[in-house]
Amino acid sequence: MGTTARDVFLLRLGCAVLLWVPLLAAAAEFQTLSHLKPRADDQSQTKAVRELLQRLVKDRAGEFVVSVNRSVAVDGLETYELRSVGGGKQISVVGSTGVAAATGIYYYLKYYCKCHISWSGDQLNISRPLPPVQGVIRVTTPNRFRYYQNVCTQSYSMVWWDWNRWEREIDWMALQGINLPLAFVGQEFIWQKVFLMLGLNQSQIDEYFSGPAFLAWARMGNIHSWAGPLPRSWHLNQVALQYQILQRMRSLGIIPVLPAFAGHVPEALVKLFPKINATRLGPWASFDCSMSCSWMIDPEDPMFLEIGAQFLKTVITEYGTDNIYNTDTFNEMNPTSSDPAYLSAVSGAIYKSMTIMDPFAIWLMQGWLFVNSPQFWKPPQTEALLRGVPIGKMIVLDLFAETQPIYTTTHSFYGQPFIWCMLHNFGGNLGLFGAIENVNNGPSIARKFPNTTIVGTGLTPEGIEQNDMMYELMNELGWRNDSLNLQEWVPLYAKRRYGTNNTDVVKAWQLLSRSIYNCSTFVHNHNHSPLVRRPQLHMNTDIWYNKSDVYEAWKLMHTAMQSVPKSDTFQYDLIDITREAVQLLITDYYVEMRNAFHAGSLPDLLTAGGVLVYDLLPELDNLLSSDVHFLLGRWIEEARKISTSDKEAALYDMNARNQLTLWGPWGNILDYGNKEWGGLINDYYSLRWSLFVSTLVSCINDGVPFNQQQFDSEVFKVESSFINNGVTYPSKPVGNAYEIASRIFLKYYPDALKRMQKT
């Protein structure tokens, strides 16, 4: 057969039909990391990938011949091969690991069958018969590792997951080529054992642990005690879940990263051992020392090594090991001393506490501390901390590399291997966002950096299940040595996602990818929209893109609604883009209200406030309530479902609600974890805006200035009441998403255009 248009595109992607292996000259090699590899044999991995394929494509699985053969690897780098067999009726997929084989399967489904797999839904309309592969496709990853997860992801997104959801996620990891994820579930079960062995009693341990929704920050020593205690059933549930997670990851050739000791201990332990050399750190965020100010053992104190070794011994005994561990001692907390010798001793002690129990241990460390506190982590301090560990025995996650890479200012982390990561999301917030050009070019630039020590790429979002396109792109880049042609890739993404070649959706995604998804300035993807912030007269309304691009994409999606086949993915994007447009309109109405108040114009204030509170916000809530991915009720139901008693259900319910809103007992990190979800709009955000409008009206009527402090006191009562309102929110969609989206568009799109013309 002749060369097809698809084959031409594959060549442009860098995958020659006969043979393609990326250039490896720029890749750093660390023999110290060579032992980090799958422990399952080829036969076991083959079985696991075949089972994954069966879950994915059901009765079409027999049309694929899948195997794992580690000899396929090229210079120790994972490789997969695709070819047609069985007279052209079947596709053979051979991978050097289970992950490589799964990645090969998804590559074929994407580029030959035009399929798509994502958090928001799958499009698996697989061609009949399967399209043949001309010759042999061979793809080798340019680096050893494709990392996944931020330590915060465990709390912002995964905290309430059951095995079914974890199984789906692990399948997604393998298909996306991820081979190095965190595996932090069941960590408190280990700490409980260790603390009991050290002499603490159960009540002291219970007092120390935070609640489930805040464990990520308790593990890093930022907080303790808040929203706890952890019931015994929680520990049992989590340890059983961790067994399943680790078994599945390892069977697929995934290398799980387990936790290690960071140096933080309960105050009760310091009192139990009064001679211990421990320092109390300062408060974190807006928490006082009743729930913060962790105690840290001096790394030179013998107790540091004893506790660290005992913790890791218990981890390994319970969960096994793959010889790589994560711990972060100074997450958003500065050390007590900036003396390089001290900092080197700290990192050396942490590493030694690992090697006592595992001589082959590798320390994986998040590099967020260097981003968060550059005034402390100057070159001498940074180098001392990193060089306190033997070169090649630590891997640093360049956590926010798409916006603020650290490798460029640290001589490639002073020789330590690093992973180039896309952070992208903060707090699990919703909102269209991306730095697509930075992401597309960043890894290849890092590979060409002088004396680079890059060993992989990674995803490190604080929250997931949003902005699927950015994660699809980043995962694909993990298997490429160079950048993608986005002018070709974005239209293909749109076609695969909906299973149709629709001009309107292609134009919408091209428009979005050039504007809202192409943030080139220093902007965190942290939703600062007035919608999800406590109202005040001075709110951040800045955006990094032209709002007309979002409105045009909104119109294109509305037009496409008439012709694109209904699907989970299209409905999700229709809602998400409409949500983004409504969010912009809400900002406009806020600005009108503010201007009307300053001008003393009560009619204008009542008009803008009335539309916002009585129509726009309720319509947004209706829209979000029509899709399962945007439901507050699902989040709360998943939390309560884990409980074994009414008391536990109430505890988990409070945790789930508080993380989204107050983030602490007094609004300590207010709205950091905000979500635009059905139920949350009506019963939290809308109530705040209603109070704000009525307060401004009263101020004009009474001739008094707006008092922010007084308003904050009153609105806190509204915010707190949401935590305890006892409302059971729907966990299943309500209403027709297409009808609601169309109604909002027809009602507000003309208004949006008029507003743009005025400005």
Side-chain angles (χ1 to χ4, degrees):
M1 296 178 66
T3 301
T4 65
R6 181 183 62 247
D7 295 327
V8 172
F9 180 73
L10 294 178
L11 284 164
R12 288 177 181 171
L13 279 177
C15 298
V17 171
L18 293 178
L19 175 66
W20 176 77
V21 178
L23 299 175
L24 303 177
E29 294 185 12
F30 287 89
Q31 291 302 314
T32 52
L33 306 177
S34 61
H35 63 293
L36 298 181
K37 54 189 176 184
R39 298 303 171 87
D41 59 33
D42 290 355
Q43 185 177 1
S44 299
Q45 291 183 66
T46 297
K47 180 175 181 292
V49 178
R50 288 175 179 171
E51 291 172 349
L52 182 161
L53 184 62
Q54 182 68 43
R55 289 190 294 273
L56 184 67
V57 301
K58 308 298 188 292
D59 61 339
R60 302 295 301 275
E63 297 174 54
F64 294 83
V65 180
V66 179
S67 63
V68 173
N69 182 347
R70 63 190 63 203
S71 68
V72 172
V74 176
D75 295 332
L77 297 173
E78 286 172 277
T79 301
Y80 63 80
E81 295 178 350
L82 306 176
R83 55 173 61 82
S84 289
V85 295
K89 295 180 179 180
Q90 293 178 302
I91 299 300
S92 168
V93 183
V94 182
S96 60
T97 65
V99 169
T103 307
I105 290 169
Y106 189 39
Y107 177 91
Y108 176 81
L109 291 174
K110 278 199 298 187
Y111 286 109
Y112 282 80
C113 301
K114 300 181 179 64
C115 293
H116 176 76
I117 298 166
S118 70
W119 291 313
S120 56
D122 300 338
Q123 190 283 109
L124 288 169
N125 186 17
I126 302 173
S127 312
R128 289 184 186 273
L130 292 178
V133 173
Q134 303 299 314
V136 179
I137 299 286
R138 182 178 295 124
V139 179
T140 296
T141 180
N143 297 112
R144 284 287 316 281
F145 306 111
R146 279 85 53 206
Y147 175 79
Y148 178 44
Q149 288 180 52
N150 186 300
V151 292
C152 299
T153 322
Q154 296 276 325
S155 290
Y156 281 130
S157 297
M158 301 170 170
V159 57
W160 312 121
W161 285 5
D162 59 13
W163 169 241
N164 288 337
R165 183 61 186 87
W166 267 109
E167 181 176 58
R168 162 84 182 178
E169 192 72 7
I170 296 169
D171 285 354
W172 178 87
M173 292 181 204
L175 291 163
Q176 296 284 354
I178 293 164
N179 67 350
L180 191 69
L182 286 184
F184 267 25
V185 174
Q187 188 174 153
E188 285 64 39
F189 176 81
I190 302 297
W191 273 120
Q192 180 169 259
K193 282 190 169 188
V194 172
F195 289 149
L196 288 171
M197 283 188 281
L198 290 170
L200 296 188
N201 59 47
Q202 191 61 53
S203 62
Q204 291 170 319
I205 296 170
D206 290 343
E207 183 181 344
Y208 179 66
F209 286 145
S210 74
F214 303 94
L215 287 174
W217 303 276
R219 292 164 178 170
M220 293 183 287
N222 300 129
I223 60 173
H224 58 81
S225 308
W226 164 241
L230 292 176
R232 181 173 181 272
S233 63
W234 171 267
H235 296 300
L236 297 177
N237 172 279
Q238 295 295 288
V239 73
L241 192 56
Q242 178 76 328
Y243 293 155
Q244 292 177 291
I245 291 168
L246 292 173
Q247 189 280 327
R248 181 60 56 80
M249 284 183 175
R250 287 165 175 158
S251 72
L252 286 165
I254 294 172
I255 304 166
V257 180
L258 294 171
F261 178 53
H264 311 113
V265 295
E267 183 175 12
L269 193 73
V270 178
K271 292 179 178 179
L272 184 64
F273 298 96
K275 294 184 179 180
I276 196 172
N277 185 4
T279 302
R280 196 169 198 185
L281 302 177
W284 177 74
S286 298
F287 282 85
D288 62 28
C289 286
S290 66
M291 297 179 185
S292 186
C293 305
S294 296
W295 286 90
M296 181 177 170
I297 302 178
D298 188 284
E300 296 180 342
D301 191 292
M303 200 71 171
F304 187 102
L305 293 179
E306 181 179 338
I307 295 174
Q310 186 59 56
F311 177 74
L312 202 59
K313 177 183 178 181
T314 311
V315 166
I316 294 171
T317 300
E318 198 70 46
Y319 299 138
T321 185
D322 294 82
N323 306 117
I324 182 164
Y325 311 94
N326 166 259
T327 190
D328 297 290
T329 301
F330 301 116
N331 179 67
E332 300 183 0
M333 299 183 298
N334 290 335
T336 55
S337 170
S338 61
D339 180 9
Y342 169 77
L343 296 172
S344 182
V346 169
S347 58
I350 294 170
Y351 177 67
K352 186 176 180 181
S353 73
M354 299 179 196
T355 57
I356 288 174
M357 297 311 307
D358 182 356
F360 303 102
I362 300 296
W363 177 8
L364 181 80
M365 184 184 77
Q366 291 195 148
W368 179 250
L369 69 170
F370 307 127
V371 177
N372 179 254
S373 187
Q375 70 280 4
F376 180 92
W377 294 105
K378 295 175 181 176
Q381 287 71 32
T382 302
E383 183 174 8
L385 186 77
L386 296 174
R387 293 247 179 175
V389 178
I391 294 296
K393 295 291 187 177
M394 165 190 276
I395 299 175
V396 184
L397 300 176
D398 202 345
L399 211 73
F400 198 19
E402 82 273 27
T403 298
Q404 194 173 350
I406 298 300
Y407 77 90
T408 58
T409 59
T410 57
H411 305 288
S412 202
F413 290 98
Y414 298 104
Q416 293 289 15
F418 77 93
I419 293 176
W420 193 102
C421 298
M422 179 186 81
L423 199 162
H424 182 263
N425 180 273
F426 290 83
N429 302 159
L430 300 184
L432 304 185
F433 178 83
I436 195 168
E437 292 285 354
N438 293 350
V439 169
N440 189 38
N441 297 319
S444 60
I445 292 173
R447 294 186 187 106
K448 297 169 186 174
F449 188 74
N451 301 312
T452 187
T453 55
I454 186 173
V455 293
T457 54
L459 303 173
T460 52
E462 288 191 351
I464 58 172
E465 300 178 316
Q466 39 73 33
N467 289 296
D468 288 316
M469 182 182 73
M470 294 305 303
Y471 296 87
E472 181 92 354
L473 174 68
M474 188 65 229
N475 285 327
E476 195 160 326
L477 290 168
W479 285 80
R480 295 183 51 83
N481 203 53
D482 53 358
S483 304
L484 283 155
N485 183 332
L486 294 177
Q487 291 182 342
E488 293 178 338
W489 188 87
V490 171
L492 282 173
Y493 171 84
K495 294 172 186 177
R496 292 194 304 264
R497 187 160 169 84
Y498 311 130
T500 185
N501 186 7
N502 181 281
T503 303
D504 291 318
V505 295
V506 168
K507 286 181 180 178
W509 278 104
Q510 288 175 318
L511 196 61
L512 293 172
S513 69
R514 292 194 298 265
S515 57
I516 198 168
Y517 278 110
N518 194 26
C519 180
S520 58
T521 58
F522 189 83
V523 175
H524 293 185
N525 177 30
H526 199 168
N527 195 342
H528 288 283
S529 165
L531 165 62
V532 293
R533 295 291 164 174
R534 179 184 279 176
Q536 54 179 288
L537 288 176
H538 306 285
M539 302 185 80
N540 183 359
T541 60
D542 294 339
I543 55 175
W544 62 91
Y545 55 92
N546 191 328
K547 66 173 67 175
S548 65
D549 294 332
V550 172
Y551 290 147
E552 180 64 19
W554 183 23
K555 184 182 79 171
L556 289 165
M557 292 296 284
H558 178 263
T559 303
M561 191 169 59
Q562 312 305 319
S563 54
V564 172
K566 289 188 176 182
S567 66
D568 291 342
T569 48
F570 182 78
Q571 177 172 299
Y572 180 94
D573 291 341
L574 175 66
I575 291 173
D576 205 25
I577 293 170
T578 303
R579 176 205 53 73
E580 194 74 28
V582 169
Q583 180 176 277
L584 289 172
L585 282 167
I586 288 169
T587 299
D588 286 346
Y589 279 106
Y590 158 71
V591 172
E592 283 189 14
M593 289 163 46
R594 183 180 63 190
N595 293 343
F597 177 76
H598 287 315
S601 176
L602 187 58
D604 289 341
L605 173 59
L606 288 171
T607 299
V611 172
L612 176 64
V613 172
Y614 296 113
D615 192 76
L616 191 53
L617 286 172
E619 284 283 49
L620 178 59
D621 193 85
N622 291 336
L623 177 70
L624 298 172
S625 297
S626 67
D627 188 284
V628 70
H629 298 93
F630 298 93
L631 293 180
L632 169 65
R634 185 176 71 151
W635 171 257
I636 294 177
E637 181 183 75
E638 289 172 352
R640 296 181 69 92
K641 191 164 62 175
I642 300 174
S643 67
T644 60
S645 68
D646 291 343
K647 183 179 179 180
E648 289 179 13
L651 175 68
Y652 299 159
D653 188 298
M654 184 277 285
N655 270 256
R657 292 169 185 250
N658 186 277
Q659 188 205 86
L660 304 176
T661 54
L662 295 177
W663 216 119
W666 306 109
N668 306 61
I669 316 179
L670 182 68
D671 296 320
Y672 185 92
N674 67 75
K675 304 288 191 298
E676 291 174 33
W677 283 347
L680 196 59
I681 300 293
N682 269 356
D683 283 7
Y684 182 72
Y685 300 123
S686 187
L687 294 182
R688 293 201 302 198
W689 280 104
S690 180
L691 179 62
F692 184 65
V693 172
S694 63
T695 302
L696 294 182
V697 169
S698 296
C699 288
I700 290 179
N701 284 333
D702 297 341
V704 298
F706 176 74
N707 186 315
Q708 185 67 52
Q709 186 174 0
Q710 184 177 342
F711 175 78
D712 288 347
S713 177
E714 290 302 312
V715 80
F716 179 72
K717 298 174 185 177
V718 173
E719 294 160 343
S720 300
S721 67
F722 167 76
I723 306 295
N724 303 303
N725 70 13
V727 174
T728 299
Y729 294 94
S731 58
K732 299 290 190 295
V734 177
N736 185 304
Y738 287 73
E739 292 178 1
I740 299 169
S742 182
R743 184 173 70 232
I744 293 174
F745 177 83
L746 294 174
K747 189 188 302 185
Y748 283 102
Y749 179 73
D751 181 48
L753 292 185
K754 290 178 183 177
R755 290 171 179 280
M756 282 196 303
Q757 291 169 358
K758 288 181 181 179
T759 58

